[in-house]
Amino acid sequence: MSNMKIEREGSVLSIIFDRPEKKNALTRAMYMAATRALAQADQDEDIGAVLFSGAGGFFTAGNDIGDFLLAEAKGEPDDFPAFAFIRALAACETPLVAAIEGVAIGIGATLILHCDLVYAAPSAAFRMPFIDLGLVPEAAATLLLPRRVGMAKAAEFLLLGEPFDAQEALRLGLVNEMIAPKDLKDFALERARCLAHKPRAALVASRRLMRGDRREILERIDEEGRLFGLALQSREARAAFAAFVSRSKPP
């Protein structure tokens, strides 16, 4: 059971994070399912767009820390499926759309930097707390976020780890539009279908041109991943993870 729903909705492939009891925190199985879905989207000419969303009023709280620590304890952090998913996200040729409500933490926030269209409910709450965990950002956020919002704002979000809401994301151009929760999924799905019905070759070529040098992005992802792996071994990261796990245990 991956706690991930992969659904075909006509020409749109929906990837739904479906673990609401854990605020859709992502496990290895969920990352693997999402990576396979992105590959499917690129291989199937009848799929014209991918739509990310979350169940239960949440997008995703990011990595499941316990699952990540298990991989780290086994000496497998470089093989953790999150890194394969991030690479697949950056390399995906199919247009990506996100419908976000509730928490969007860690990869839940950096994921939107790779989406073509992002729609958010007023409840959307973004945060990239990598440094607070003794880690470095991922998903080429250190490259893409300063380009999107400027160095000053990127420093607030990445270095200070300050949260920002849907209104701020809209103001900064990280979100296309704020939509009422009851209409969010349907609205985002309609926009995804609109992309899917465009001439495929022209859409893919235009999207590639807009995104710039993919090699640069993938190289930054790999460099972040290398430093992320080193940071995992640090005293600061181990202390932060231990504190997080301690807070998560029932009294």
Side-chain angles (χ1 to χ4, degrees):
M1 180 68 177
S2 73
N3 297 113
M4 186 79 80
K5 289 182 181 177
I6 311 296
E7 300 177 349
R8 279 290 295 270
E9 301 189 73
S11 55
V12 176
L13 188 69
S14 280
I15 299 177
I16 305 164
F17 307 133
D18 188 26
R19 199 185 177 208
E21 72 280 5
K22 294 291 186 179
K23 297 183 180 179
N24 300 330
L26 299 174
T27 63
R28 285 171 289 181
M30 293 170 75
Y31 276 121
M32 291 169 69
T35 301
R36 288 193 297 268
L38 291 176
Q40 177 189 349
D42 277 353
Q43 293 163 8
D44 189 337
E45 62 182 18
D46 292 327
I47 296 174
V50 172
L51 174 60
F52 287 100
S53 63
F58 310 103
F59 189 57
T60 172
N63 282 329
D64 181 295
I65 297 297
D67 201 54
F68 196 86
L69 286 176
L70 180 62
E72 196 270 339
K74 291 179 177 179
E76 302 170 350
D78 291 340
D79 296 326
F80 193 72
F83 299 111
F85 170 69
I86 288 167
R87 293 186 188 99
L89 196 65
C92 188
E93 295 279 13
T94 307
L96 305 174
V97 181
I100 298 176
E101 60 178 318
V103 295
I105 298 173
I107 185 62
T110 58
L111 181 149
I112 70 174
L113 299 172
H114 298 274
C115 290
D116 302 283
L117 298 171
V118 180
Y119 302 99
S123 65
F126 302 90
R127 189 168 177 236
M128 294 174 265
F130 301 102
I131 291 175
D132 290 345
L133 290 171
L135 302 173
V136 298
E138 34 79 323
T142 58
L143 175 70
L144 299 176
L145 191 62
R147 288 181 177 178
R148 293 282 295 274
V149 305
M151 190 63 72
K153 274 295 175 185
E156 289 181 9
F157 299 153
L158 292 178
L159 303 185
L160 290 176
E162 291 188 351
F164 56 102
D165 59 15
Q167 185 65 52
E168 179 73 347
L170 179 64
R171 186 185 73 81
L172 292 170
L174 294 171
V175 162
N176 293 85
E177 196 168 343
M178 277 205 301
I179 306 294
K182 65 183 180 64
D183 300 321
L184 177 64
K185 178 69 183 294
D186 287 343
F187 186 90
L189 180 60
E190 185 276 328
R191 295 283 83 192
R193 284 175 174 154
C194 184
L195 286 176
H197 293 152
K198 301 288 184 183
R200 178 73 174 236
L203 182 64
V204 169
S206 299
R207 184 176 180 269
R208 190 181 299 131
L209 290 167
M210 289 172 66
R211 287 169 170 263
D213 188 349
R214 178 187 291 171
R215 181 175 52 189
E216 179 188 27
I217 294 170
L218 290 171
E219 286 176 353
R220 180 60 62 92
I221 286 171
D222 288 343
E223 178 64 6
E224 288 173 345
R226 184 184 70 81
L227 295 172
F228 192 103
L230 291 174
L232 273 175
Q233 308 303 318
S234 71
R235 183 169 51 193
E236 292 88 351
R238 292 180 181 279
F241 284 152
F244 182 91
V245 170
S246 177
R247 289 196 302 270
S248 300
K249 289 181 179 178

